[in-house]
Amino acid sequence: MTDLRADNRLISILDKNSFIAEQYRSIRAKILLSTESSYKKTILVTSSVPKEGKTLTAANLSISIAQGMQEKVLLIDSDLRQPTLHKIFQITPLNGLSDYLTHDLHLEEVILPTHVEKLSIIPAGSLVSNPFELLATEKMSSLIMELRAQVPDRFIIFDSPPLIPVSDTMILAKMVDWTIFVILAGQTPRDLVAKALTSYGRNNILGVILNRLEVPPNEYSYSKYYYRY
C-alpha cells in the first residue's frame, strides 16, 4: 500500500488543522452523541444520485471517527457496481465483499488494514453481474451480524450506491441501524432529494450532510454541514 497522503481528497489526514477537517470532527461528535447510549453503530452513507460526494464523505468520516481516543472503524465498500474506496485508499485487494459473498472465504481474507490506526476496510471486491441479488442474500445479513459480534463497540460504515439509479441500497438499509444522506448543495434538484427520502422512509435517518455548501465571504467557509434529520 502506498502512503495515504498521496490522495489529497482525504482531508482528514492531509490537513488535520483545516476548517474542513474540523467539520468532519463536528460531524463525528454528533454521531458519537447520537449513538453513545446504544450499540447501534452500523451506518450507511448514501445519496440521491451519483457524484454527490458520498464515497469521499464516508472515507473522511471514517478516518475522523478512527482518529478519536477509543473508536474503531470498519469501512465497507458495498457499492458493487462502481466501487472506488480501494482507489481512494490506494490498495490493490485480492478479495473483497463480493468475493466473500460468492466464495468460501474467511473474514480475515477480506478485512484489510489501512495506514490509519483503528481503521480497517473491506473493499468491494471483484465486479459481479448481480450485485442486488448478492446484497440480498442471507450470507450478507449474517456477515453484518458477525461483524457486529466480532467487535461490539466498533463503528461499521457502509459506502453504498445512490438511491435513485438502483435499488441495492434499499436492501442494505434494512440491515443497518442508521443512514446518513449526502446532498450536493445547490446542485441536486430538490425533487430528486424528496423522491429519494420519500422512497427511503425516515425511521433510521441519522442526519443529512450538505456537501460543498457555500457561505457568505464574511463568514467561515466550509464544505460540510451536518444536521439531524
mmCIF file of all heavy atoms in Angstrom, residues 8-43:
data_model
loop_
_atom_site.group_PDB
_atom_site.id
_atom_site.type_symbol
_atom_site.label_atom_id
_atom_site.label_comp_id
_atom_site.label_asym_id
_atom_site.label_seq_id
_atom_site.Cartn_x
_atom_site.Cartn_y
_atom_site.Cartn_z
ATOM 1 N N ASN A 8 -4.977 13.588 -2.044
ATOM 2 C CA ASN A 8 -5.304 14.827 -1.356
ATOM 3 C C ASN A 8 -6.786 15.002 -1.084
ATOM 4 O O ASN A 8 -7.208 16.022 -0.560
ATOM 5 C CB ASN A 8 -4.773 16.029 -2.148
ATOM 6 C CG ASN A 8 -5.350 16.117 -3.545
ATOM 7 O OD1 ASN A 8 -6.311 15.420 -3.865
ATOM 8 N ND2 ASN A 8 -4.761 16.945 -4.387
ATOM 9 N N ARG A 9 -7.603 14.020 -1.435
ATOM 10 C CA ARG A 9 -9.021 14.102 -1.122
ATOM 11 C C ARG A 9 -9.308 13.644 0.305
ATOM 12 O O ARG A 9 -10.391 13.889 0.834
ATOM 13 C CB ARG A 9 -9.823 13.273 -2.119
ATOM 14 C CG ARG A 9 -9.754 13.785 -3.549
ATOM 15 C CD ARG A 9 -10.426 12.837 -4.524
ATOM 16 N NE ARG A 9 -9.761 11.555 -4.581
ATOM 17 C CZ ARG A 9 -10.178 10.531 -5.303
ATOM 18 N NH1 ARG A 9 -11.285 10.652 -6.022
ATOM 19 N NH2 ARG A 9 -9.518 9.396 -5.324
ATOM 20 N N LEU A 10 -8.346 12.976 0.932
ATOM 21 C CA LEU A 10 -8.525 12.533 2.308
ATOM 22 C C LEU A 10 -8.065 13.651 3.236
ATOM 23 O O LEU A 10 -7.019 13.583 3.864
ATOM 24 C CB LEU A 10 -7.747 11.234 2.553
ATOM 25 C CG LEU A 10 -8.285 10.026 1.781
ATOM 26 C CD1 LEU A 10 -7.391 8.822 1.983
ATOM 27 C CD2 LEU A 10 -9.728 9.700 2.195
ATOM 28 N N ILE A 11 -8.899 14.674 3.300
ATOM 29 C CA ILE A 11 -8.548 15.879 4.036
ATOM 30 C C ILE A 11 -8.373 15.609 5.521
ATOM 31 O O ILE A 11 -7.638 16.316 6.219
ATOM 32 C CB ILE A 11 -9.615 16.979 3.792
ATOM 33 C CG1 ILE A 11 -9.127 18.335 4.283
ATOM 34 C CG2 ILE A 11 -10.937 16.607 4.440
ATOM 35 C CD1 ILE A 11 -7.961 18.875 3.501
ATOM 36 N N SER A 12 -9.034 14.579 6.045
ATOM 37 C CA SER A 12 -8.921 14.253 7.463
ATOM 38 C C SER A 12 -7.512 13.797 7.820
ATOM 39 O O SER A 12 -7.129 13.824 8.993
ATOM 40 C CB SER A 12 -9.930 13.163 7.843
ATOM 41 O OG SER A 12 -11.249 13.625 7.660
ATOM 42 N N ILE A 13 -6.744 13.369 6.822
ATOM 43 C CA ILE A 13 -5.347 13.001 7.045
ATOM 44 C C ILE A 13 -4.426 14.107 6.568
ATOM 45 O O ILE A 13 -3.483 14.495 7.244
ATOM 46 C CB ILE A 13 -4.994 11.694 6.295
ATOM 47 C CG1 ILE A 13 -5.700 10.515 6.931
ATOM 48 C CG2 ILE A 13 -3.483 11.451 6.318
ATOM 49 C CD1 ILE A 13 -5.420 9.217 6.226
ATOM 50 N N LEU A 14 -4.712 14.635 5.398
ATOM 51 C CA LEU A 14 -3.809 15.573 4.746
ATOM 52 C C LEU A 14 -3.615 16.848 5.546
ATOM 53 O O LEU A 14 -2.502 17.341 5.681
ATOM 54 C CB LEU A 14 -4.350 15.909 3.347
ATOM 55 C CG LEU A 14 -3.447 16.768 2.468
ATOM 56 C CD1 LEU A 14 -2.178 16.003 2.123
ATOM 57 C CD2 LEU A 14 -4.176 17.176 1.200
ATOM 58 N N ASP A 15 -4.698 17.380 6.066
ATOM 59 C CA ASP A 15 -4.610 18.629 6.817
ATOM 60 C C ASP A 15 -5.572 18.575 7.992
ATOM 61 O O ASP A 15 -6.709 19.032 7.906
ATOM 62 C CB ASP A 15 -4.936 19.814 5.900
ATOM 63 C CG ASP A 15 -4.670 21.151 6.574
ATOM 64 O OD1 ASP A 15 -4.297 21.149 7.760
ATOM 65 O OD2 ASP A 15 -4.838 22.191 5.909
ATOM 66 N N LYS A 16 -5.103 18.010 9.092
ATOM 67 C CA LYS A 16 -5.958 17.827 10.261
ATOM 68 C C LYS A 16 -6.414 19.152 10.865
ATOM 69 O O LYS A 16 -7.398 19.196 11.593
ATOM 70 C CB LYS A 16 -5.222 17.008 11.327
ATOM 71 C CG LYS A 16 -4.931 15.579 10.926
ATOM 72 C CD LYS A 16 -4.230 14.847 12.065
ATOM 73 C CE LYS A 16 -3.900 13.418 11.676
ATOM 74 N NZ LYS A 16 -3.207 12.692 12.766
ATOM 75 N N ASN A 17 -5.663 20.225 10.586
ATOM 76 C CA ASN A 17 -5.996 21.516 11.176
ATOM 77 C C ASN A 17 -6.863 22.382 10.269
ATOM 78 O O ASN A 17 -7.167 23.521 10.612
ATOM 79 C CB ASN A 17 -4.705 22.272 11.509
ATOM 80 C CG ASN A 17 -3.864 21.540 12.549
ATOM 81 O OD1 ASN A 17 -4.404 21.013 13.516
ATOM 82 N ND2 ASN A 17 -2.560 21.492 12.343
ATOM 83 N N SER A 18 -7.250 21.865 9.120
ATOM 84 C CA SER A 18 -8.068 22.652 8.199
ATOM 85 C C SER A 18 -9.489 22.789 8.730
ATOM 86 O O SER A 18 -9.953 22.014 9.568
ATOM 87 C CB SER A 18 -8.090 21.995 6.822
ATOM 88 O OG SER A 18 -8.842 20.802 6.876
ATOM 89 N N PHE A 19 -10.183 23.784 8.211
ATOM 90 C CA PHE A 19 -11.557 24.009 8.643
ATOM 91 C C PHE A 19 -12.460 22.858 8.206
ATOM 92 O O PHE A 19 -13.400 22.485 8.903
ATOM 93 C CB PHE A 19 -12.079 25.332 8.090
ATOM 94 C CG PHE A 19 -13.329 25.806 8.773
ATOM 95 C CD1 PHE A 19 -13.282 26.342 10.043
ATOM 96 C CD2 PHE A 19 -14.562 25.689 8.149
ATOM 97 C CE1 PHE A 19 -14.432 26.763 10.689
ATOM 98 C CE2 PHE A 19 -15.715 26.111 8.783
ATOM 99 C CZ PHE A 19 -15.655 26.653 10.051
ATOM 100 N N ILE A 20 -12.171 22.290 7.029
ATOM 101 C CA ILE A 20 -12.979 21.164 6.557
ATOM 102 C C ILE A 20 -12.805 19.962 7.477
ATOM 103 O O ILE A 20 -13.780 19.290 7.837
ATOM 104 C CB ILE A 20 -12.598 20.801 5.116
ATOM 105 C CG1 ILE A 20 -12.921 21.965 4.182
ATOM 106 C CG2 ILE A 20 -13.351 19.551 4.658
ATOM 107 C CD1 ILE A 20 -12.473 21.738 2.752
ATOM 108 N N ALA A 21 -11.551 19.686 7.859
ATOM 109 C CA ALA A 21 -11.309 18.579 8.786
ATOM 110 C C ALA A 21 -12.037 18.803 10.101
ATOM 111 O O ALA A 21 -12.535 17.861 10.725
ATOM 112 C CB ALA A 21 -9.812 18.408 9.027
ATOM 113 N N GLU A 22 -12.111 20.069 10.512
ATOM 114 C CA GLU A 22 -12.822 20.388 11.746
ATOM 115 C C GLU A 22 -14.314 20.093 11.609
ATOM 116 O O GLU A 22 -14.963 19.650 12.557
ATOM 117 C CB GLU A 22 -12.602 21.858 12.105
ATOM 118 C CG GLU A 22 -13.317 22.299 13.385
ATOM 119 C CD GLU A 22 -12.882 21.487 14.609
ATOM 120 O OE1 GLU A 22 -11.693 21.108 14.686
ATOM 121 O OE2 GLU A 22 -13.745 21.236 15.474
ATOM 122 N N GLN A 23 -14.860 20.295 10.407
ATOM 123 C CA GLN A 23 -16.275 19.987 10.193
ATOM 124 C C GLN A 23 -16.531 18.486 10.302
ATOM 125 O O GLN A 23 -17.568 18.063 10.815
ATOM 126 C CB GLN A 23 -16.732 20.508 8.825
ATOM 127 C CG GLN A 23 -16.618 22.011 8.665
ATOM 128 C CD GLN A 23 -17.140 22.776 9.868
ATOM 129 O OE1 GLN A 23 -18.314 22.661 10.226
ATOM 130 N NE2 GLN A 23 -16.281 23.544 10.494
ATOM 131 N N TYR A 24 -15.581 17.697 9.819
ATOM 132 C CA TYR A 24 -15.714 16.240 9.984
ATOM 133 C C TYR A 24 -15.682 15.865 11.464
ATOM 134 O O TYR A 24 -16.411 14.978 11.908
ATOM 135 C CB TYR A 24 -14.613 15.510 9.225
ATOM 136 C CG TYR A 24 -14.912 15.313 7.761
ATOM 137 C CD1 TYR A 24 -14.164 15.962 6.786
ATOM 138 C CD2 TYR A 24 -15.941 14.475 7.339
ATOM 139 C CE1 TYR A 24 -14.433 15.790 5.441
ATOM 140 C CE2 TYR A 24 -16.225 14.304 5.999
ATOM 141 C CZ TYR A 24 -15.467 14.961 5.054
ATOM 142 O OH TYR A 24 -15.754 14.793 3.720
ATOM 143 N N ARG A 25 -14.837 16.543 12.225
ATOM 144 C CA ARG A 25 -14.796 16.255 13.657
ATOM 145 C C ARG A 25 -16.108 16.656 14.321
ATOM 146 O O ARG A 25 -16.571 15.995 15.259
ATOM 147 C CB ARG A 25 -13.607 16.962 14.300
ATOM 148 C CG ARG A 25 -12.270 16.328 13.984
ATOM 149 C CD ARG A 25 -11.153 16.872 14.847
ATOM 150 N NE ARG A 25 -10.780 18.235 14.463
ATOM 151 C CZ ARG A 25 -9.871 18.521 13.541
ATOM 152 N NH1 ARG A 25 -9.245 17.540 12.900
ATOM 153 N NH2 ARG A 25 -9.563 19.770 13.264
ATOM 154 N N SER A 26 -16.710 17.726 13.826
ATOM 155 C CA SER A 26 -18.005 18.148 14.355
ATOM 156 C C SER A 26 -19.079 17.104 14.055
ATOM 157 O O SER A 26 -19.902 16.774 14.918
ATOM 158 C CB SER A 26 -18.393 19.501 13.752
ATOM 159 O OG SER A 26 -19.675 19.898 14.179
ATOM 160 N N ILE A 27 -19.056 16.577 12.826
ATOM 161 C CA ILE A 27 -19.998 15.517 12.464
ATOM 162 C C ILE A 27 -19.750 14.285 13.329
ATOM 163 O O ILE A 27 -20.684 13.647 13.821
ATOM 164 C CB ILE A 27 -19.864 15.162 10.980
ATOM 165 C CG1 ILE A 27 -20.264 16.359 10.108
ATOM 166 C CG2 ILE A 27 -20.739 13.957 10.623
ATOM 167 C CD1 ILE A 27 -19.960 16.179 8.639
ATOM 168 N N ARG A 28 -18.458 13.953 13.513
ATOM 169 C CA ARG A 28 -18.104 12.814 14.371
ATOM 170 C C ARG A 28 -18.695 12.983 15.768
ATOM 171 O O ARG A 28 -19.268 12.040 16.340
ATOM 172 C CB ARG A 28 -16.590 12.690 14.459
ATOM 173 C CG ARG A 28 -16.109 11.586 15.407
ATOM 174 C CD ARG A 28 -14.595 11.626 15.584
ATOM 175 N NE ARG A 28 -14.180 12.792 16.361
ATOM 176 C CZ ARG A 28 -12.907 13.148 16.536
ATOM 177 N NH1 ARG A 28 -11.943 12.452 15.957
ATOM 178 N NH2 ARG A 28 -12.598 14.205 17.262
ATOM 179 N N ALA A 29 -18.564 14.186 16.323
ATOM 180 C CA ALA A 29 -19.070 14.442 17.676
ATOM 181 C C ALA A 29 -20.573 14.224 17.750
ATOM 182 O O ALA A 29 -21.088 13.642 18.713
ATOM 183 C CB ALA A 29 -18.712 15.863 18.102
ATOM 184 N N LYS A 30 -21.293 14.659 16.709
ATOM 185 C CA LYS A 30 -22.744 14.497 16.704
ATOM 186 C C LYS A 30 -23.134 13.020 16.587
ATOM 187 O O LYS A 30 -24.100 12.573 17.193
ATOM 188 C CB LYS A 30 -23.354 15.318 15.569
ATOM 189 C CG LYS A 30 -23.198 16.824 15.744
ATOM 190 C CD LYS A 30 -23.772 17.578 14.571
ATOM 191 C CE LYS A 30 -23.519 19.090 14.701
ATOM 192 N NZ LYS A 30 -24.187 19.647 15.889
ATOM 193 N N ILE A 31 -22.358 12.279 15.803
ATOM 194 C CA ILE A 31 -22.635 10.843 15.663
ATOM 195 C C ILE A 31 -22.378 10.121 16.979
ATOM 196 O O ILE A 31 -23.179 9.293 17.426
ATOM 197 C CB ILE A 31 -21.779 10.242 14.540
ATOM 198 C CG1 ILE A 31 -22.264 10.737 13.179
ATOM 199 C CG2 ILE A 31 -21.812 8.712 14.581
ATOM 200 C CD1 ILE A 31 -21.402 10.300 12.024
ATOM 201 N N LEU A 32 -21.259 10.442 17.624
ATOM 202 C CA LEU A 32 -20.939 9.801 18.900
ATOM 203 C C LEU A 32 -21.996 10.130 19.942
ATOM 204 O O LEU A 32 -22.381 9.272 20.741
ATOM 205 C CB LEU A 32 -19.557 10.245 19.385
ATOM 206 C CG LEU A 32 -18.364 9.834 18.521
ATOM 207 C CD1 LEU A 32 -17.056 10.326 19.133
ATOM 208 C CD2 LEU A 32 -18.318 8.326 18.336
ATOM 209 N N LEU A 33 -22.475 11.367 19.926
ATOM 210 C CA LEU A 33 -23.513 11.765 20.870
ATOM 211 C C LEU A 33 -24.811 11.020 20.604
ATOM 212 O O LEU A 33 -25.518 10.618 21.521
ATOM 213 C CB LEU A 33 -23.744 13.274 20.783
ATOM 214 C CG LEU A 33 -24.749 13.866 21.772
ATOM 215 C CD1 LEU A 33 -24.256 13.668 23.206
ATOM 216 C CD2 LEU A 33 -24.963 15.350 21.492
ATOM 217 N N SER A 34 -25.113 10.803 19.330
ATOM 218 C CA SER A 34 -26.369 10.133 18.953
ATOM 219 C C SER A 34 -26.345 8.642 19.236
ATOM 220 O O SER A 34 -27.395 8.013 19.367
ATOM 221 C CB SER A 34 -26.655 10.362 17.459
ATOM 222 O OG SER A 34 -26.809 11.728 17.171
ATOM 223 N N THR A 35 -25.154 8.059 19.307
ATOM 224 C CA THR A 35 -25.051 6.604 19.445
ATOM 225 C C THR A 35 -24.451 6.152 20.773
ATOM 226 O O THR A 35 -24.292 4.958 20.992
ATOM 227 C CB THR A 35 -24.185 6.020 18.309
ATOM 228 O OG1 THR A 35 -22.864 6.596 18.364
ATOM 229 C CG2 THR A 35 -24.795 6.319 16.954
ATOM 230 N N GLU A 36 -24.140 7.094 21.660
ATOM 231 C CA GLU A 36 -23.409 6.734 22.869
ATOM 232 C C GLU A 36 -24.191 5.834 23.819
ATOM 233 O O GLU A 36 -23.604 5.076 24.591
ATOM 234 C CB GLU A 36 -22.964 7.997 23.617
ATOM 235 C CG GLU A 36 -24.105 8.829 24.171
ATOM 236 C CD GLU A 36 -23.601 10.042 24.937
ATOM 237 O OE1 GLU A 36 -22.369 10.140 25.115
ATOM 238 O OE2 GLU A 36 -24.428 10.877 25.357
ATOM 239 N N SER A 37 -25.503 5.892 23.761
ATOM 240 C CA SER A 37 -26.302 5.117 24.707
ATOM 241 C C SER A 37 -26.789 3.797 24.132
ATOM 242 O O SER A 37 -27.631 3.132 24.714
ATOM 243 C CB SER A 37 -27.508 5.953 25.163
ATOM 244 O OG SER A 37 -28.327 6.282 24.057
ATOM 245 N N SER A 38 -26.283 3.414 22.963
ATOM 246 C CA SER A 38 -26.742 2.172 22.353
ATOM 247 C C SER A 38 -25.609 1.489 21.617
ATOM 248 O O SER A 38 -24.519 2.034 21.455
ATOM 249 C CB SER A 38 -27.891 2.453 21.376
ATOM 250 O OG SER A 38 -27.393 3.077 20.202
ATOM 251 N N TYR A 39 -25.886 0.276 21.184
ATOM 252 C CA TYR A 39 -24.924 -0.464 20.384
ATOM 253 C C TYR A 39 -25.267 -0.357 18.898
ATOM 254 O O TYR A 39 -24.790 -1.153 18.095
ATOM 255 C CB TYR A 39 -24.899 -1.929 20.821
ATOM 256 C CG TYR A 39 -24.243 -2.124 22.164
ATOM 257 C CD1 TYR A 39 -25.001 -2.293 23.313
ATOM 258 C CD2 TYR A 39 -22.854 -2.119 22.283
ATOM 259 C CE1 TYR A 39 -24.404 -2.453 24.553
ATOM 260 C CE2 TYR A 39 -22.239 -2.277 23.515
ATOM 261 C CZ TYR A 39 -23.030 -2.446 24.648
ATOM 262 O OH TYR A 39 -22.420 -2.600 25.866
ATOM 263 N N LYS A 40 -26.072 0.625 18.564
ATOM 264 C CA LYS A 40 -26.433 0.834 17.165
ATOM 265 C C LYS A 40 -25.326 1.613 16.467
ATOM 266 O O LYS A 40 -25.321 2.850 16.465
ATOM 267 C CB LYS A 40 -27.771 1.572 17.066
ATOM 268 C CG LYS A 40 -28.950 0.765 17.592
ATOM 269 C CD LYS A 40 -30.252 1.519 17.390
ATOM 270 C CE LYS A 40 -31.450 0.688 17.832
ATOM 271 N NZ LYS A 40 -32.733 1.398 17.615
ATOM 272 N N LYS A 41 -24.394 0.905 15.885
ATOM 273 C CA LYS A 41 -23.202 1.546 15.333
ATOM 274 C C LYS A 41 -22.940 1.166 13.879
ATOM 275 O O LYS A 41 -21.824 1.320 13.386
ATOM 276 C CB LYS A 41 -21.991 1.223 16.203
ATOM 277 C CG LYS A 41 -22.120 1.737 17.639
ATOM 278 C CD LYS A 41 -20.859 1.503 18.444
ATOM 279 C CE LYS A 41 -21.055 1.882 19.912
ATOM 280 N NZ LYS A 41 -21.360 3.304 20.111
ATOM 281 N N THR A 42 -23.957 0.660 13.196
ATOM 282 C CA THR A 42 -23.798 0.409 11.761
ATOM 283 C C THR A 42 -24.454 1.558 11.003
ATOM 284 O O THR A 42 -25.632 1.849 11.198
ATOM 285 C CB THR A 42 -24.429 -0.929 11.341
ATOM 286 O OG1 THR A 42 -25.795 -0.974 11.767
ATOM 287 C CG2 THR A 42 -23.675 -2.097 11.978
ATOM 288 N N ILE A 43 -23.668 2.219 10.160
ATOM 289 C CA ILE A 43 -24.121 3.438 9.492
ATOM 290 C C ILE A 43 -23.919 3.306 7.987
ATOM 291 O O ILE A 43 -22.818 2.992 7.525
ATOM 292 C CB ILE A 43 -23.349 4.668 10.005
ATOM 293 C CG1 ILE A 43 -23.537 4.818 11.518
ATOM 294 C CG2 ILE A 43 -23.798 5.931 9.279
ATOM 295 C CD1 ILE A 43 -22.678 5.898 12.135
#
